[in-house]
């Protein structure tokens, strides 16, 4: 069944809306897609929209890029967007290795490139592309050389992220088996919101689409804290890329294994908060229980409230926190 774009305005002018429907009918899988993360890095490194990538990673990518290739591709980027047709951005959701995806790009003909640019800009090629289309084969060779060099610089980072990505796969699996998809979706990233069986995705050109009976593929991105990419219009699936949790720890100690399903799903601090709320408590009391600062307790309680797991109620000068029935059920199920 193909995606149906609904001809009515979105609720938010800054968010594309993916209507999921009842979560017990939504099929979810996870895909490791290094090319999606690599392109996110390249976009930022060459002057495209900021992705929240660590400065050391950006420097590493830039150092490895051939100068002539970088000069050929840089005009296609600015901080508001990237002018690349779809044929040049294989994201590897199908599981193809990066060298195979680069070979596909290298095999594009000048006509393929011309048609891709026309689809991207039907009226007239943007000025940067006019020069590239004068020598399309040379430009394609430079573009592939740039991506290949970027991959050589990035491949060690991708390899270091194995434990994080495996942990995220386990977390998604725990959400599926515990009927906790609403909690998972609510905490994917600060560019994704979940409410009323709908995902709201930050987007400069928002629209509204039904998931229908398609599966949704989650793609953890090993690039930046603000990275976000999605395609909701494929007939057989919708997929969503978001920052893999724990990016800031990459290169340090690997994430500790845990057999506690609640901790796996929502993290150790939020799991501790939920378990501590067998009776209502104040924000200060929770901070003391966690041996953490008030701002830490407030932040995590806000995230739990967004997921519908706790309620915050003001009582005089205090803010009292209590579990919702949904929070009670999640603790009972996963403890």
């Amino acid at each position: 069944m193909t995606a149906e774009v609904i001809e009515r305005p979105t609720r938010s002018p800054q968010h594309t809306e993916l209507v999921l429907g009842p979560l017990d009918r939504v099929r979810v899988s996870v895909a490791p897609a290094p090319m999606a993360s690599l392109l996110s890095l390249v976009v930022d490194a060459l002057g495209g929209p900021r992705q929240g990538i660590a400065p050391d990673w950006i420097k590493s990518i830039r150092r490895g890029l051939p100068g002539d290739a970088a000069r050929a591709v840089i005009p296609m980027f600015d901080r508001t967007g990237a002018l690349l047709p779809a044929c040049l951005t294989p994201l590897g959701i199908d599981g193809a290795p990066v060298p195979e995806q680069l070979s596909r790009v290298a095999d594009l003909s000048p006509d393929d490139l011309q048609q891709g640019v026309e689809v991207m800009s039907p009226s007239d090629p943007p000025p940067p592309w006019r020069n590239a289309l004068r020598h399309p084969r040379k430009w394609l060779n430079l573009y592939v050389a740039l991506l290949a060099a970027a991959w050589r610089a990035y491949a060690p980072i991708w390899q270091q992220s194995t434990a994080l990505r495996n942990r995220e796969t386990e977390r998604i699996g725990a959400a599926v088996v515990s009927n906790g998809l609403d909690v998972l979706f609510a905490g994917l990233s600060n560019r994704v919101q979940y409410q009323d069986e709908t995902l709201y995705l930050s987007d400069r050109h928002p629209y509204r689409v039904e998931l229908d009976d398609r599966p949704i593929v989650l793609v953890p991105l090993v690039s930046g804290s603000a990275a976000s990419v999605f395609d909701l219009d494929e007939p057989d699936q919708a997929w969503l890329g978001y920052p893999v949790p724990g990016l800031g720890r990459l290169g340090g100690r690997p994430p500790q294994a845990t057999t506690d399903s609640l901790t796996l799903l929502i993290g150790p601090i939020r799991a501790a908060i939920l378990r501590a709320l067998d009776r209502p408590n104040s924000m200060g009391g929770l901070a003391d229980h966690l041996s953490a600062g008030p701002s830490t307790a407030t932040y995590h309680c806000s995230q739990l409230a967004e997921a519908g797991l706790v309620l915050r109620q003001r009582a005089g000068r205090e803010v009292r926190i209590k579990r919702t029935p949904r929070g009670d059920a999640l603790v009972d199920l996963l403890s």
Side-chain angles (χ1 to χ4, degrees):
M1 183 179 295
T2 59
E4 177 189 0
V5 177
I6 304 173
E7 298 297 334
R8 64 174 180 263
T10 59
R11 295 181 184 178
S12 166
Q14 289 85 36
H15 294 88
T16 279
E17 299 173 16
L18 176 59
V19 181
L20 302 176
L23 291 186
D24 59 359
R25 297 174 56 188
V26 174
R27 293 171 291 152
V28 176
S29 63
V30 59
M35 192 69 166
S37 297
L38 177 68
L39 286 169
S40 174
L41 281 158
V42 168
V43 164
D44 195 321
L46 294 185
R50 296 288 191 187
Q51 308 287 300
I53 296 168
D56 288 348
W57 291 11
I58 292 292
K59 292 177 183 176
S60 176
I61 295 294
R62 287 175 176 164
R63 280 197 302 266
L65 299 181
D68 54 347
R71 286 189 293 272
V73 179
I74 282 174
M76 281 61 182
F77 297 91
D78 63 41
R79 289 304 180 195
T80 65
L83 292 171
L84 291 177
C87 63
L88 296 181
T89 56
L91 297 177
I93 309 305
D94 60 357
V98 169
E100 181 179 326
Q101 294 173 67
L102 294 178
S103 294
R104 294 176 188 174
V105 177
D107 289 341
L108 291 173
S109 70
D111 287 343
D112 292 329
L113 183 59
Q114 177 78 44
Q115 292 170 9
V117 173
E118 289 176 355
V119 170
M120 177 184 67
S121 182
S123 57
D124 194 31
W129 276 105
R130 294 173 193 166
N131 291 329
L133 291 176
R134 291 192 184 101
H135 305 284
R137 174 48 59 195
K138 178 181 179 180
W139 192 92
L140 277 169
N141 290 341
L142 288 171
Y143 180 69
V144 172
L146 181 139
L147 291 184
W151 173 243
R152 288 192 293 273
Y154 174 67
I157 297 173
W158 178 258
Q159 185 61 37
Q160 291 171 16
S161 73
T162 300
L164 282 181
R165 292 184 282 109
N166 289 344
R167 177 71 173 269
E168 180 63 359
T169 299
E170 294 174 3
R171 188 172 80 99
I172 293 169
V176 171
V177 301
S178 66
N179 297 318
L181 286 180
D182 53 345
V183 179
L184 177 75
F185 289 146
L188 280 182
S189 84
N190 58 10
R191 300 192 65 185
V192 179
Q193 300 174 26
Y194 174 77
Q195 187 176 5
D196 299 331
E197 300 182 346
T198 299
L199 281 173
Y200 295 85
L201 313 173
S202 293
D203 195 359
R204 293 172 60 87
H205 305 286
Y207 61 100
R208 184 175 170 89
V209 65
E210 300 274 3
L211 182 64
D212 292 330
D213 62 351
R214 297 175 296 158
I216 182 168
V217 182
L218 298 178
V219 182
L221 299 174
V222 185
S223 54
S225 59
S228 176
V229 61
F230 54 85
D231 186 343
L232 311 182
D233 300 321
E234 295 184 15
D236 57 346
Q237 65 183 10
W239 60 263
L240 167 62
Y242 62 96
V244 65
L247 264 179
R249 301 192 303 272
L250 193 57
R253 300 173 65 180
Q256 295 182 346
T258 180
T259 58
D260 176 29
S261 297
L262 185 62
T263 295
L264 184 61
L265 178 59
I266 62 175
I269 295 179
R270 295 174 198 176
I273 290 174
L274 273 192
R275 289 196 167 110
L277 290 174
D278 52 352
R279 64 185 64 184
N281 203 340
S282 67
M283 196 70 75
L286 284 175
D288 290 341
H289 176 78
L290 296 170
S291 299
S295 62
T296 297
T298 299
Y299 170 76
H300 288 287
C301 284
S302 296
Q303 297 300 306
L304 290 169
E306 287 289 331
L309 300 177
V310 303
L311 285 176
R312 293 170 292 183
Q313 297 176 325
R314 181 163 292 280
R317 296 184 177 181
E318 278 191 340
V319 175
R320 305 287 292 179
I321 313 297
K322 70 175 184 178
R323 283 198 310 239
T324 63
R326 172 75 174 119
D328 289 337
L330 196 67
V331 171
D332 290 343
L333 179 65
L334 300 182
S335 296

